[in-house]
Amino acid sequence: MFVGHFGVGFGSKAVRPRVPLAWLVAAPVFLDLLWPLFLIAGVESVRIAPGDTAVTPLDLHDYPYSHSLLMAVVWSVLFGGAYFARHRDRAGAALLGAGVFSHWVLDFVTHRPDMPLYPGSTTLVGLGLWNSVAGTVVVEMLIFLGGVFLYARATAPRPGASHWPFRSLVFFLLFMYAGNLAGPPPPSVGAIEVAGVLMWLLVPWAAWVERTRVPTEPGRPGTNAPADTPAAPAPTSSSSSS
């Protein structure tokens, strides 16, 4: 899964508007942000095998430290803990931890049985949605577009700010998704590593988006009134003397 993870991040803004979008986006893709680093370090490995599934040409046979069930729990706790240490926001930390773990849940749905329960486990799990291109696209687009919709309702453009940071990020993710589906297999494992490391740039891109939008008025999702817009003063009554 690719854009579905970002959909979870965008949609999470409606749950906890005070959490920065960069954190919300990084959480559900965090396992994929770690994966290229483990590939470069030689801790994990991947093979290019066109036809391995209908959706991806990658044989994900060895990624126990980034994508096993146990390590997904560990990374969820560490990510949420890092946010809590910085912001002292328990609810936000819990949401981010859940966001990290959502990656494993969505990958469990899409991957063929290649996800270990823990490092060294011989039990591999996965429901195999990737065997159907149509099914994968429908599920991913529902999650992604639903998340984008929730984010758009939970925030409003900052007065005078451009719409393009948000729009360009959405369009870029859709473009990359289409390229992954329709394009040729990657030429080498090194190219996979470079592309994976470049994914880290999407986190500051999300931070750029955050600077152009503000949460909508509490209790009135979808309005264009920013949450920090001061309320108009109540009218005062005056008495006239004759």
Side-chain angles (χ1 to χ4, degrees):
M1 184 162 285
F2 178 64
V3 292
H5 296 310
F6 288 94
V8 172
F10 277 120
S12 297
K13 191 70 171 179
V15 179
R16 191 70 175 171
R18 66 181 292 183
V19 179
L21 183 64
W23 283 88
L24 293 171
V25 165
V29 297
F30 188 60
L31 304 188
D32 280 350
L33 294 176
L34 292 174
W35 180 57
L37 305 182
F38 289 144
L39 290 179
I40 293 170
V43 176
E44 298 182 344
S45 61
V46 64
R47 289 192 290 259
I48 301 172
D52 188 66
T53 66
V55 171
T56 178
L58 303 184
D59 176 7
L60 302 165
H61 66 284
D62 176 31
Y63 54 170
Y65 297 102
S66 62
H67 280 73
S68 68
L69 173 60
L70 174 62
M71 292 307 298
V73 173
V74 171
W75 296 124
S76 300
V77 172
L78 291 177
F79 194 95
Y83 178 80
F84 178 76
R86 182 178 178 86
H87 296 279
R88 298 299 174 182
D89 175 13
R90 292 184 184 275
L95 177 64
L96 291 170
V100 174
F101 190 73
S102 74
H103 186 109
W104 192 92
V105 174
L106 294 180
D107 277 6
F108 169 71
V109 173
T110 53
H111 286 220
R112 65 176 177 81
D114 61 15
M115 302 176 68
L117 298 181
Y118 52 87
S121 169
T122 58
T123 300
L124 304 177
V125 298
L127 298 182
L129 182 61
W130 270 351
N131 291 316
S132 168
V133 175
T136 300
V137 171
V138 168
V139 171
E140 286 224 57
M141 293 307 295
L142 285 174
I143 297 173
F144 179 69
L145 296 178
V148 169
F149 173 77
L150 290 173
Y151 176 78
R153 281 179 58 85
T155 62
R158 192 178 294 276
S162 171
H163 293 265
W164 278 105
F166 175 41
R167 292 176 180 175
S168 62
L169 178 56
V170 171
F171 292 150
F172 177 78
L173 291 172
L174 290 174
F175 175 79
M176 290 299 297
Y177 186 54
N180 288 336
L181 289 174
S188 66
V189 171
I192 297 172
E193 294 170 349
V194 171
V197 170
L198 289 176
M199 273 189 63
W200 281 88
L201 295 177
L202 296 173
V203 177
W205 196 337
W208 180 34
V209 173
E210 182 87 345
R211 290 195 293 271
T212 66
R213 301 183 69 86
V214 292
T216 50
E217 187 176 350
R220 295 179 60 189
T223 65
N224 289 324
D228 53 1
T229 301
T236 58
S237 60
S238 58
S239 58
S240 58
S241 57
S242 55

